[in-house]
Amino acid sequence: MVVDTGSGKNLIGKRLFNSLFKNSIKLTPPDRTFYACGQETPLPCSRSFKAEITWKNKMTEDDIYVINKDVDALLGRKTIFTLQVLNKGVIVRTVMQSPEKFQKLVEEFSPLFKGLGQIKGYSHRVTVDKTVMPVAQALRRVPYHMIEAVNQELDKMLEQDIIEEVNEGTEWVSNILLTPKKKKKKNTTEMRLFRSERG
């Protein structure tokens, strides 16, 4: 059984389901589609069923979805928290750490500890509720004394591949939120840019 707080539902592979419940559980058609991390093709989910799930002295009833592949059984976030599987005092897996081991890893894989962490070769798909009306915020002027700092920060973010230029119209537009931050050692100002959520 895999405990995964990143999953919203409980899953079980077809082979394990057949070996345990094949002729004793009433199945119903699934009411949702599941995707593995980074995949665009949905998992082959054929049926679902309700089950009482117990952990120590706690019990809850929740849906379990049958995946038509030989995969591990997976316990989802809601069930994990309801049963308090990950409560303090319950050791799921312990990883011993020490400064020496960490330094050795840093030296061995030094390129991975430089700059910003980025996932290469993966395109993230943002899910947008089509019933929500798009919002294009009116442009707010950048204060004159901040223009240079903002331009420098935008150039830096472009160079680090954090943002990219968009040369066409878009339905969703948010202003940047400027947060000047004083540096402790120098009498200079560091500019941080955030997306504004206010209309």
Side-chain angles (χ1 to χ4, degrees):
M1 173 70 71
V2 177
V3 177
D4 184 1
T5 56
S7 173
K9 295 297 178 180
N10 309 300
L11 308 177
I12 187 172
K14 185 175 182 180
R15 178 185 294 184
L16 181 58
F17 171 80
N18 288 339
S19 66
L20 297 175
F21 311 115
K22 184 176 182 180
N23 299 316
S24 59
I25 297 288
K26 181 181 179 181
L27 297 173
T28 58
D31 57 354
R32 63 195 64 234
T33 303
F34 299 96
Y35 293 87
C37 181
Q39 301 298 312
E40 296 185 356
T41 304
L43 292 172
C45 179
S46 60
R47 295 288 187 271
S48 67
F49 63 96
K50 283 193 175 294
E52 290 184 354
I53 307 170
T54 60
W55 166 260
K56 295 189 174 180
N57 61 340
K58 297 187 178 296
M59 186 273 290
T60 186
E61 183 180 275
D62 205 352
D63 294 318
I64 299 180
Y65 294 83
V66 181
I67 304 299
N68 291 339
K69 296 180 71 175
D70 186 15
V71 297
D72 292 326
L74 186 148
L75 202 63
R77 178 174 55 255
K78 177 184 174 183
T79 305
I80 292 169
F81 292 147
T82 301
L83 298 178
Q84 299 180 351
V85 173
L86 298 180
N87 268 17
K88 185 177 179 181
V90 178
I91 300 177
V92 177
R93 180 178 294 175
T94 302
V95 179
M96 301 303 293
Q97 299 182 19
S98 70
E100 294 79 14
K101 287 185 177 181
F102 179 74
Q103 186 59 38
K104 185 177 179 181
L105 285 172
V106 171
E107 293 172 357
E108 184 177 353
F109 303 100
S110 57
L112 301 179
F113 292 89
K114 294 179 181 178
L116 296 173
Q118 291 181 324
I119 299 176
K120 301 293 185 180
Y122 170 69
S123 180
H124 177 63
R125 181 179 60 185
V126 178
T127 302
V128 178
D129 186 347
K130 294 183 179 180
T131 64
V132 176
M133 183 73 69
V135 176
Q137 295 181 346
L139 178 65
R140 290 199 292 265
R141 292 182 180 273
V142 176
Y144 182 79
H145 68 283
M146 292 186 178
I147 291 177
E148 184 60 29
V150 169
N151 287 337
Q152 289 179 3
E153 184 65 19
L154 289 173
D155 289 341
K156 177 182 173 183
M157 295 172 74
L158 280 167
E159 183 179 346
Q160 294 178 336
D161 202 25
I162 299 172
I163 61 175
E164 62 183 22
E165 291 188 28
V166 177
N167 298 314
E168 57 185 26
T170 176
E171 294 179 316
W172 294 89
V173 179
S174 296
N175 281 285
I176 57 174
L177 180 64
L178 310 179
T179 58
K181 180 181 178 183
K182 290 280 187 180
K183 289 187 177 180
K184 294 181 179 179
K185 295 184 179 180
K186 297 181 181 179
N187 189 24
T188 57
T189 300
E190 176 183 311
M191 183 63 61
R192 303 183 69 186
L193 307 181
F194 299 91
R195 185 172 62 112
S196 172
E197 298 291 347
R198 300 179 64 182

